[in-house]
């Protein structure tokens, strides 16, 4: 491992990504301290709070069951805004296309983007298209950025978890990553696994009716549920205990993970959120979430503790406990 | 030429780019009509006007005299906001990095981005980093998006040119494209040609003191001065006459263009703007521009006419006239 070169793992969302971000990228570009890094920046303009975010999408393959790079790019950015409690309003789309890419496939991706935007009630208002020579990019990369507005005074951020809070996940874990992996590797599955790629802003709007009981919202994309909870534990300086028996999984996803030796807690989701909420309101929030189509399998999966700041532990089904770390290398490259 | 595939020319900024945008991308994603397409979208949020824009940068080589992909990405997005008369405030940066890229070069690019942002008085507040396997991208691509605020009621847009208006360019034409070309091809030049890459928001602030005399602002990047003026002529449904003898060139750039058979009117600029202004205020605006370091070579280069809507003509030094069209294919790929 050459420490002078950028490695695949630097894009994993896990430990290496955090090192690159914390040691180089964030201090150089912005100076925002790690505890204040969230899925989107909150900007104050003329007394109003706006959220602003960006993500580059390089998923391979470009088309997969349940979506394509276009729906991923729209929903991913919508979700990053929603995780700040913002109402997503406007998106930009910048395409980098490899010379020789099929115009018909491009048209299909663009149509999916429009459909995803319409579904999420956002508008794609500006864009850019670059074409690079054959072999200089892999088919198509899409970067979306988004602007939303915070219509409340709540402070929802990664450093908001408090001892005693409950941890909720909005549905089954690991569907997106395994759907993309299966499509890429041409796995023959008895039950097709579809990406969960979806816009979470509608679900968040329902949840925000519970107001200040919502302390943290995060979508566990790259690095999965484990890495995202580890980030929250560090930012909030709390411990988090997960109960394995409470984790919701699609049995087909669990089966593929077992066969391939993958831990689904590290597999990316693209239509799920983690919420850290006040304990006395947790059941009410859960009930609200379950009424929404994207929250029907929501579950309380753990608690925040005041011990061992930054530590995430899993209580296994058989009663053991093990520490959960961030994704170390790169489990599944180019998953988003 | 296979019409079912995406070609390099579709990223040129010229005729093929416009066809792809007008026939496929814009109707599918947004439905914004061509006459209303500008360097940035203007959004109305809570009664305030914001500008929002994005651009992907794929320049080859990544480092060139006068800048690198990082300064280009910051200044380009700052300039797109400034061309709407907006004050640029916040930027996002999404990096797509090829596995094996040098960490030191990445650090250099990031430092340049920060310096460019500081110079332009904007903050980089959010970002994303993806890494793709070796051979799946060419070193590094950067997409920046930007948010700015319109602090006035002026309507500055591509459809604002009126017969009688004067056309001003803020300085010498073609420097960026030729600097990148020379670096890419390893041309040995007696005089080094440097990219003009610079943030134009300060110059625009000065110009905006002339208020409603400023009808159109555009930065002639991909496709150059010729293509940008053609866009303005079409959007405003006017003719534009350029006087060749008035066009400011760096003699070194002119020399390289003559040797290589390139028309500098189609070569990209990254620190220049075109302004279409009310005739009675043109000299005053020009004087203001010349007092600014980035406008010291500004010149009135032509007039808007009421004849031949959409047509741009060049009055040559010897008194002839020729029509100026958009860039047809791709003169210099990956110039930005």
């Amino acid at each position: 491992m050459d420490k002078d070169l950028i490695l695949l793992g630097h894009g994993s969302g896990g430990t290496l990504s955090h090192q690159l971000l914390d040691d180089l990228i964030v201090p150089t570009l912005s100076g925002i301290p790690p505890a204040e890094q969230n899925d989107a920046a909150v900007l104050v303009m003329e007394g109003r709070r706006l959220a602003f975010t960006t993500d580059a999408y390089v998923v391979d393959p470009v088309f997969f069951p349940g979506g394509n790079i276009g729906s991923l790019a729209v929903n991913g950015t919508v979700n990053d805004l929603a995780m700040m409690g913002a109402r997503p309003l406007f998106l930009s789309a910048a395409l980098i296309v490899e010379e020789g890419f099929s115009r018909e496939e491009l048209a299909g991706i663009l149509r999916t983007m429009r459909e995803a935007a319409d579904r999420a009630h956002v508008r794609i208002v500006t864009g850019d298209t670059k074409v690079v020579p054959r072999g200089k990019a892999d088919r198509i990369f899409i970067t979306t950025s988004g602007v939303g507005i915070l219509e409340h005074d709540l402070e929802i951020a990664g450093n908001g978890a408090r001892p005693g809070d409950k941890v909720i996940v909005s549905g089954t874990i690991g569907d997106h990553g395994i759907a993309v992996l299966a499509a890429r590797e041409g796995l023959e599955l008895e039950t097709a696994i579809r990406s969960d790629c979806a816009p979470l802003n509608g679900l968040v709007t329902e949840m925000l009716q519970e107001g200040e009981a919502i302390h943290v919202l995060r979508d566990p994309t790259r690095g999965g549920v484990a890495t995202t909870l580890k980030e929250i534990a560090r930012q909030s300086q709390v411990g988090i205990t997960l109960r394995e028996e409470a984790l919701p999984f699609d049995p087909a996803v669990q089966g593929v993970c077992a066969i391939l030796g993958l831990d689904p807690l590290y597999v990316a989701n693209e239509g799920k959120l983690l919420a850290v909420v006040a304990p006395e309101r947790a059941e009410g929030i859960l009930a609200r979430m379950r009424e929404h189509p994207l929250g029907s399998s929501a579950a309380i999966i753990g608690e925040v503790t005041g011990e061992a700041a930054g530590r995430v532990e899993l209580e296994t089904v058989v009663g053991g406990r093990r520490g959960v770390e961030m994704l170390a290398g790169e489990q599944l490259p180019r998953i988003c």
Side-chain angles (χ1 to χ4, degrees), chain A:
Chain A
M1 197 163 91
D2 189 331
K3 73 178 175 50
D4 297 330
L5 299 181
I6 300 301
L7 309 172
L8 267 184
H10 284 122
S12 66
T15 304
L16 279 176
S17 289
H18 277 269
Q19 283 172 5
L20 185 68
L21 282 172
D22 295 347
D23 295 350
L24 179 60
I25 297 182
V26 176
T28 311
L29 289 185
S30 72
I32 298 170
E36 294 171 23
Q37 291 164 23
N38 286 296
D39 287 337
V42 174
L43 316 173
V44 179
M45 283 176 83
E46 311 262 329
R48 301 296 315 194
R49 293 199 303 166
L50 300 184
F52 180 35
T53 191
T54 194
D55 263 324
Y57 294 87
V58 299
V59 64
D60 171 37
V62 165
F63 295 88
F64 49 82
N68 64 45
I69 192 171
S71 50
L72 202 58
V74 169
N75 288 326
T77 288
V78 163
N79 292 349
D80 280 344
L81 295 172
M83 293 309 110
M84 304 307 294
R87 184 157 68 92
L89 292 173
F90 301 106
L91 259 54
S92 67
L95 316 178
I96 297 173
V97 186
E98 184 185 11
E99 180 189 15
F101 188 66
S102 144
R103 194 178 164 115
E104 189 183 334
E105 288 190 318
L106 177 61
I109 291 166
L110 295 168
R111 276 195 304 272
T112 310
M113 292 182 78
R114 177 64 176 268
E115 288 161 11
D118 289 346
R119 181 177 171 199
H121 303 290
V122 297
R123 284 173 53 209
I124 301 171
V125 292
T126 188
D128 185 41
T129 306
K130 292 290 185 336
V131 182
V132 297
R134 262 176 219 276
K136 298 300 184 186
D138 192 13
R139 312 192 77 210
I140 184 168
F141 301 145
I142 300 180
T143 297
T144 44
S145 301
V147 175
I149 190 159
L150 281 86
E151 299 175 309
H152 50 71
D153 298 325
L154 306 173
E155 296 286 346
I156 297 169
N159 59 6
R162 305 168 201 173
D165 282 355
K166 299 291 183 187
V167 178
I168 301 177
V169 68
S170 64
T172 54
I173 293 169
D175 304 5
H176 173 74
I178 298 302
V180 171
L181 176 72
R184 190 191 304 164
E185 306 298 336
L187 300 185
E188 299 276 347
L189 304 174
E190 277 183 39
T191 320
I193 297 173
R194 291 170 63 82
S195 166
D196 57 348
C197 184
L200 293 167
N201 49 335
L203 177 62
V204 169
T205 301
E206 289 303 314
M207 296 171 70
L208 288 180
Q209 295 191 33
E210 299 284 339
E212 56 198 23
I214 312 286
H215 298 163
V216 183
L217 292 172
R218 276 282 166 88
D219 55 338
T221 57
R222 275 185 295 176
V225 166
T227 303
T228 303
L229 288 177
K230 190 81 183 170
E231 287 170 0
I232 294 170
R234 283 187 186 171
Q235 288 186 292
S236 298
Q237 286 294 297
V238 295
I240 293 177
T241 303
L242 284 184
R243 283 175 291 108
E244 188 176 29
E245 64 182 2
L247 299 172
F249 292 111
D250 175 336
V253 169
Q254 228 171 357
V256 172
C257 284
I259 291 166
L260 298 180
L262 296 171
D263 184 340
L265 282 180
Y266 293 94
V267 175
N269 310 274
E270 290 290 346
K272 298 292 155 46
L273 63 80
L274 291 166
V276 179
V277 307
E280 67 278 9
R281 307 275 285 278
E283 288 295 342
I285 293 167
L286 188 66
R288 264 188 208 279
M289 291 175 72
R290 285 187 170 160
E291 280 174 25
H292 192 280
L294 293 176
S296 57
S297 313
I300 296 176
I301 59 171
E303 287 78 40
V304 177
T305 71
E307 306 145 32
R311 186 165 167 81
V312 179
E313 282 198 335
L314 184 72
E315 273 185 17
T316 64
V317 175
V318 295
R321 290 177 80 94
R322 67 170 173 88
V324 173
E325 299 306 323
M326 282 199 178
L327 181 60
E330 173 62 296
Q331 185 171 248
L332 298 173
R334 294 184 65 191
I335 218 70
C336 60

